[in-house]
Amino acid sequence: MIEYLKRKIDSYLSQWKANSDRKPLIIKGARQVGKTKSIETFAKNNYENIIEINFASDPVYKQIIENGYSTQAIIKNITRINPKARFIKGTTLIFFDEIQEFPDITTSLKFFALDGNYDVICSGSLLGIHYKEISSISVGYKTEIEMRSLDFEEFLWALGYDESIKNDILEHMKSFTPFSPAVLKIYNDLFLDYCIVGGMPEVVKDFVTKKTFENTLEIQRQIVIGYEADIRKYALGLDKSRITNVFRSVPFQLGKENKKFQISKVHSGAKFKDYRGSLEWLEDAGIVNISRALQTPNLPLKGNVIEDCCILYYADNGLLLSQLDDEAQSDFRQNKNLDVYKGGLFESIIGEALVKSGYDLHYYKKENSTLQEEFFVRYGDYLVPIEVKAGNNNSKSLATLIKSPNYKEIRFGIKIVKGNIGFYSNICTFPHFCAFLIKEFLSSFQFN
């Protein structure tokens, strides 16, 4: 089994360490996305002395704030519990793990920041963290980052590819140069593997080690079972069943012709306002991605949202695939049918790539009309619609949005297809595997 998978957070941690004004760091994210392993690997390579405290496996350490939150009081109590612990100024990293079990520890970060003698990293799944309650604690004295499962580029790293493959894809996108048939097939096959495996580190490691899919489905299903166990453990009261039911309904809802998330499909007679918190809980936990409906395809995006209208996707497509029925799974795996669940599966794949690139998800569907678009992103003063095609058929909605005088902020669009690169009628066409590079493409794209 591979010992460690290279992750993008590795370079972030190195930059954090190189910053002389670094503050205590909180790494958020869903369970099993690789937070702990990445931090432990970074710590081993960069510090002479490491103090690792896991509040889940060693709850006795919850006592360390009983004399207050000052650095001196906490260090004293840690050494009382573990006399072998050594705190060497300037060369020690204190790693508080599983802080969802003890969110009060975040109050101490202000004191560690002011003391400045020890580096501090906190990590925990958002499952059960009352993060909105504690996020205001130590404001100005901490840095936060969210970690997700592997994106397509990280998956390629796990397979042994270096930066050159990303650079090759990006250069083709920037110049609108089609790939040769042989190269296109290689990249499509790699991407299909990623769609099946997903980005959960345990699943990727097993796939890379064995070079088969034989255990991936079982591992994925066990991770989903673990998510549901955490919902039961951390959610409060009636929210337990509501959150669980919403989570379980996501694959089914994506299979509808109209993929809008309908609370009535979760529980008969239920109202959106009663379940809004459940959706947000799953989103805050990093388990689902939510695409919010736009009133009109205009900027600003966040100020243009329909509050009770959205689409839910799993945050990791491998986990979503593991929850589909046997017929849909077989169709996807054997026939490479990306249109499984009426395209909902593939929308989820592209949406995941956009979220991992740093975008929020928004979509638009005009009432009493066929005009609809899967995603929108901002590009300077422009609004860029992104149309997702399992195949490579016509893009009537995309063409309408670009040509219509009603949408002056839309000047061009992007179509993600089963096909090659092209540019025609202000539509940038890219193969599916290019989705993870859309943000980098737009950062240098010059539209006239």
Side-chain angles (χ1 to χ4, degrees):
M1 179 70 75
I2 298 172
E3 180 62 25
Y4 181 67
L5 296 173
K6 177 184 174 183
R7 302 298 301 275
K8 290 183 176 179
I9 201 170
D10 299 342
S11 60
Y12 178 91
L13 289 170
S14 295
Q15 292 170 13
W16 173 78
K17 178 75 164 60
N19 184 357
S20 59
D21 295 325
R22 60 186 173 275
K23 302 171 184 178
L25 177 64
I26 296 179
I27 299 180
K28 306 179 292 183
R31 61 176 286 159
Q32 297 196 40
V33 295
K35 301 183 300 296
T36 299
K37 190 65 176 179
S38 293
I39 296 167
E40 289 176 341
T41 301
F42 164 74
K44 182 179 178 181
N45 294 332
N46 289 275
Y47 292 89
E48 296 178 16
N49 194 45
I50 304 165
I51 306 297
E52 182 173 350
I53 294 174
N54 185 309
F55 291 112
S57 59
D58 295 305
V60 65
Y61 281 100
K62 294 180 182 180
Q63 302 175 23
I64 63 177
I65 62 168
E66 61 184 14
N67 299 115
Y69 295 96
S70 71
T71 299
Q72 184 176 1
I74 288 176
I75 289 176
K76 179 181 178 181
N77 285 330
I78 290 174
T79 56
R80 174 175 58 82
I81 297 170
N82 178 15
K84 294 182 180 180
R86 295 291 178 265
F87 291 84
I88 305 168
K89 294 180 180 180
T91 63
T92 298
L93 174 71
I94 303 172
F95 174 26
F96 295 122
D97 199 8
E98 302 289 1
I99 65 169
Q100 76 274 7
E101 297 287 343
F102 192 53
D104 285 350
I105 194 61
T106 57
T107 303
S108 71
L109 299 186
K110 175 180 179 179
F111 299 93
F112 277 109
L114 292 173
D115 179 81
N117 288 310
Y118 309 98
D119 287 350
V120 179
I121 297 179
C122 296
S123 176
S125 63
L126 283 182
L127 294 166
I129 296 183
H130 303 297
Y131 205 76
K132 291 179 180 176
E133 297 173 22
I134 69 171
S135 61
S136 61
I137 298 173
S138 299
V139 169
Y141 296 97
K142 66 181 185 296
T143 302
E144 301 177 10
I145 185 174
E146 184 160 8
M147 187 174 179
R148 298 180 181 273
S149 63
L150 282 78
D151 66 10
F152 183 47
E153 184 178 6
E154 291 172 313
F155 178 74
L156 293 174
W157 292 346
L159 292 174
Y161 292 94
D162 59 22
E163 294 284 342
S164 62
I165 191 169
K166 168 196 166 181
N167 295 336
D168 178 62
I169 296 172
L170 188 56
E171 285 305 312
H172 277 76
M173 293 172 69
K174 289 179 178 179
S175 63
F176 294 107
T177 303
F179 296 99
S180 69
V183 171
L184 186 65
K185 184 180 187 309
I186 291 172
Y187 289 166
N188 278 331
D189 287 347
L190 288 169
F191 188 67
L192 181 64
D193 288 347
Y194 173 66
C195 292
I196 296 172
V197 173
M200 301 304 286
E202 186 181 356
V203 186
V204 175
K205 283 182 180 180
D206 189 83
F207 172 74
V208 173
T209 300
K210 297 177 180 176
K211 296 181 174 57
T212 70
F213 298 95
E214 58 183 292
N215 291 329
T216 57
L217 182 58
E218 179 57 30
I219 298 172
Q220 289 162 340
R221 286 177 172 171
Q222 287 302 316
I223 292 173
V224 172
I225 290 172
Y227 281 163
E228 292 196 5
D230 280 338
I231 293 170
R232 291 192 295 272
K233 179 178 180 181
Y234 294 117
L236 303 175
L238 293 175
D239 286 344
K240 294 178 188 289
S241 60
R242 286 180 177 175
I243 294 170
T244 300
N245 290 338
V246 168
F247 179 58
R248 289 177 177 174
S249 75
V250 171
F252 161 74
Q253 301 243 15
L254 286 177
K256 299 189 283 86
E257 192 69 44
N258 174 12
K259 299 173 186 66
K260 173 186 172 183
F261 194 83
Q262 296 175 285
I263 295 300
S264 61
K265 301 294 184 181
V266 178
H267 188 274
S268 179
K271 297 181 179 179
F272 188 89
K273 64 182 180 65
D274 297 324
Y275 278 78
R276 183 191 302 276
S278 299
L279 273 63
E280 292 177 349
W281 195 98
L282 290 167
E283 183 181 37
D284 289 342
I287 295 177
V288 302
N289 296 325
I290 299 180
S291 182
R292 292 172 168 84
L294 297 175
Q295 299 178 51
T296 60
N298 297 107
L299 294 172
L301 288 172
K302 289 187 177 179
N304 189 20
V305 166
I306 302 174
E307 292 297 331
D308 60 351
C309 192
C310 62
I311 297 174
L312 265 64
Y313 305 103
Y314 276 13
D316 183 87
N317 198 71
L319 299 186
L320 175 61
L321 183 62
S322 75
Q323 299 305 295
L324 301 187
D325 58 77
D326 291 342
E327 182 180 354
Q329 288 229 16
S330 177
D331 193 16
F332 182 80
R333 292 171 182 270
Q334 296 177 22
N335 302 321
K336 301 182 181 180
N337 178 14
L338 299 178
D339 205 20
V340 168
Y341 269 44
K342 299 180 176 64
L345 177 65
F346 200 68
E347 285 180 28
S348 178
I349 294 169
I350 303 304
E352 179 186 342
L354 294 174
V355 169
K356 288 179 176 178
S357 298
Y359 288 117
D360 293 327
L361 300 183
H362 299 90
Y363 75 97
Y364 175 71
K365 187 179 190 310
K366 188 174 183 178
E367 285 191 27
N368 303 318
S369 170
T370 58
L371 182 63
Q372 60 181 349
E373 209 59 79
E374 284 81 17
F375 302 111
F376 289 84
V377 298
R378 185 163 189 160
Y379 163 74
D381 294 328
Y382 297 140
L383 184 62
V384 183
I386 299 177
E387 188 157 313
V388 179
K389 297 288 187 183
N392 192 8
N393 48 323
N394 293 331
S395 304
K396 184 178 179 181
S397 291
L398 191 54
T400 298
L401 289 171
I402 293 171
K403 294 176 182 177
S404 173
N406 298 323
Y407 313 118
K408 295 181 180 179
E409 294 157 329
I410 299 177
R411 303 285 301 281
F412 69 96
I414 293 175
K415 184 166 71 166
I416 308 295
V417 303
K418 182 180 181 181
N420 216 321
I421 288 180
F423 183 81
Y424 180 73
S425 296
N426 291 353
I427 296 176
C428 309
T429 301
F430 299 122
H432 299 140
F433 57 80
C434 294
F436 79 104
L437 287 172
I438 285 177
K439 191 168 191 175
E440 289 195 49
F441 163 77
L442 287 175
S443 69
S444 61
F445 179 57
Q446 298 294 322
F447 180 76
N448 298 318

